[in-house]
Amino acid sequence: MIKYILFDLDDTLYSKKTGLMAAIGQRIHQYMQERVGLDPVGARDLRRHYLQTYGTTLKGLQVHYNVDTEEYLTYVHDVPLGDYLQPDEALDRVLAEIQAEKIVFTNATTEHARQVLRFLGVEHHFSRIVDLRATNYVNKPQPGAYLRALDILGARPEECLMVEDSVRNLRPAKELGMVTVLVNGSGGDGVDFAIDDVTQVGEVLRQVQDSRFERDNDRQSHNSD
């Protein structure tokens, strides 16, 4: 049975079309120029390299430039969220119908996550936020981040469904045994489900639960023969 749903935050609980992550990306670009001293082209190329190599720009800057992690996180999330987000009534209804415990699992900070949830009007649905600090600054898609999240929740992988906009971030979850759901993306090879909008996650959960119920019934019937 699925007991926990782990939701990524940015570009997952809201659409990429809002432009919020693009604005955060611009703040990252500015940080690399202002704090690290890179020119615009160098910042762009290095950011792309760090994302491919480490999964986040921050990790690359930690490794190669020893940046102040908290200063970076504060700087890049200094974006007027109200310019991009508004209450999402459809998401609120879907989350209210889901009985499984709902958790935000993000490479960002708890402060940023809570603000996003508040602007979306859905903060009350989430029991916990597992952020970058909670994973001891080990970021997705590093396997240690997922193991730490499971440890915090006291959960087994097969009890978890993970919702993400990144195939790369879903692969370690699937390898551990979680059910994986790609949202707002395409090319979902290697994941269990792909949906166009996060509000479809309730239907995915029903499919998973029904499938497991039927499988368990078949197993019991076979054992009784």
Side-chain angles (χ1 to χ4, degrees):
M1 182 176 181
I2 297 296
K3 296 182 179 180
Y4 308 90
I5 304 183
L6 284 67
F7 289 88
D8 177 47
L9 181 75
D10 293 307
D11 278 358
T12 297
L13 284 175
Y14 59 83
S15 171
K16 184 177 182 179
K17 295 177 183 178
T18 64
L20 175 55
M21 270 306 294
I24 294 173
Q26 183 58 37
R27 292 290 294 173
I28 294 173
H29 196 72
Q30 291 175 8
Y31 181 93
M32 295 177 76
Q33 293 179 68
E34 296 177 9
R35 299 292 200 271
V36 182
L38 299 171
D39 62 76
V41 175
R44 181 199 64 203
D45 292 345
L46 196 59
R47 184 183 175 209
R48 183 181 298 119
H49 171 66
Y50 286 164
L51 287 170
Q52 292 174 346
T53 304
Y54 300 106
T56 65
T57 304
L58 172 58
K59 187 62 177 180
L61 291 173
Q62 288 174 319
V63 171
H64 298 283
Y65 288 93
N66 195 31
V67 300
D68 184 315
T69 300
E70 292 299 327
E71 179 196 37
Y72 171 92
L73 291 168
T74 299
Y75 185 103
V76 303
H77 291 133
D78 186 14
V79 175
L81 298 185
D83 291 350
Y84 303 93
L85 303 177
Q86 60 186 3
D88 189 332
E89 295 180 1
L91 179 60
D92 182 42
R93 288 194 299 271
V94 168
L95 294 175
E97 293 172 355
I98 294 174
Q99 298 302 309
E101 186 174 349
K102 293 166 281 289
I103 299 99
V104 169
F105 180 26
T106 177
N107 281 337
T109 63
T110 292
E111 294 88 342
H112 173 66
R114 288 199 184 284
Q115 288 188 50
V116 168
L117 296 177
R118 285 168 187 161
F119 274 98
L120 291 173
V122 297
E123 182 184 15
H124 57 290
H125 292 296
F126 292 87
S127 62
R128 191 185 300 261
I129 297 171
V130 179
D131 71 349
L132 190 60
R133 299 188 191 105
T135 59
N136 298 320
Y137 298 98
V138 178
N139 60 270
K140 296 179 287 184
Q142 306 305 317
Y146 304 79
L147 294 172
R148 176 61 179 153
L150 290 170
D151 185 56
I152 290 171
L153 297 174
R156 300 192 305 273
E158 61 271 19
E159 296 175 324
C160 301
L161 184 148
M162 184 166 173
V163 186
E164 258 273 4
D165 67 302
S166 165
V167 173
R168 184 183 184 188
N169 286 353
L170 286 171
R171 285 173 181 151
K174 184 171 176 60
E175 289 173 0
L176 283 170
M178 298 185 196
V179 176
T180 52
V181 182
L182 177 67
V183 63
N184 295 333
S186 60
D189 290 344
V191 302
D192 297 305
F193 297 90
I195 55 180
D196 297 323
D197 188 270
V198 69
T199 56
Q200 296 171 304
V201 71
E203 178 57 33
V204 170
L205 180 61
R206 282 190 289 272
Q207 290 183 43
V208 173
Q209 302 287 45
D210 289 347
S211 175
R212 291 188 174 183
F213 180 76
E214 291 176 4
R215 183 188 62 195
D216 291 343
N217 278 349
D218 289 344
R219 183 182 297 115
Q220 291 176 6
S221 176
H222 177 75
N223 290 339
S224 64
D225 289 343

